[in-house]
Amino acid sequence: MNYKDNDLKDRTKNFTLRVLNFVETIEYSIVKKIIVNQLAKSCSSVGANYRSACRGRSDAEFISKLNIVLEEADETLFWLEIIKEMKWKDTSELDFLMNEANQLTSIFVTILKNTKSRMNLKSN
């Protein structure tokens, strides 16, 4: 593992912490509880599954696990968009989190493309 892996581990963990702190500020209702639970699950899965992907024993395992990370990052963005569109929160923190979710999604897409490309080069 190189320093960039650790940087991304830290970044995904900090993202999880910021989202969890953010959802703590949302007022309670039955509908909000459902969305907040989904958001908390998906955001915490980003960091946890990225760490797991880094421990992958092969490129194929890494790709499989990183696809889960990508799905969870995109799902997190979806729930943040719902919160914004429902006007439950409209803060700079929400904007930051949405931007960070977008950036993380882009990073994971790039890592997946690069890993698959490297695997194809190995097999030729």
Side-chain angles (χ1 to χ4, degrees):
M1 179 187 323
N2 61 37
Y3 76 93
K4 289 182 182 179
D5 294 327
N6 282 328
D7 289 347
L8 200 47
K9 280 184 180 180
D10 289 342
R11 186 171 175 179
T12 56
K13 181 171 73 173
N14 288 331
F15 175 67
T16 297
L17 292 169
R18 283 185 82 155
V19 172
L20 294 175
N21 283 323
F22 172 77
V23 298
E24 286 290 327
T25 69
I26 297 175
E27 293 180 21
Y28 178 83
S29 79
I30 292 172
V31 172
K32 289 176 186 174
K33 179 182 177 186
I34 294 166
I35 303 304
V36 165
N37 282 341
Q38 290 297 114
L39 175 58
K41 288 178 185 180
S42 64
C43 83
S44 58
S45 184
V46 172
N49 281 301
Y50 180 72
R51 290 172 77 115
S52 179
C54 289
R55 290 188 304 272
R57 293 168 291 215
S58 67
D59 284 340
E61 186 177 351
F62 175 77
I63 287 172
S64 176
K65 291 181 178 201
L66 199 62
N67 273 309
I68 294 168
V69 176
L70 175 60
E71 289 175 18
E72 297 295 340
D74 189 52
E75 180 180 340
T76 299
L77 178 58
F78 174 79
W79 296 123
L80 291 168
E81 289 171 353
I82 293 299
I83 289 169
K84 185 162 187 121
E85 290 179 30
M86 292 294 291
K87 297 181 176 43
W88 293 343
K89 283 281 183 181
D90 191 16
T91 64
S92 60
E93 182 67 2
L94 177 56
D95 293 336
F96 171 86
L97 293 171
M98 290 175 67
N99 183 53
E100 183 69 355
N102 260 321
Q103 286 184 29
L104 289 170
T105 299
S106 296
I107 290 167
F108 298 132
V109 166
T110 300
I111 293 171
L112 282 165
K113 285 181 180 177
N114 290 343
T115 304
K116 288 175 184 176
S117 177
R118 184 173 43 78
M119 286 176 65
N120 287 336
L121 288 174
K122 279 184 184 178
S123 66
N124 290 333

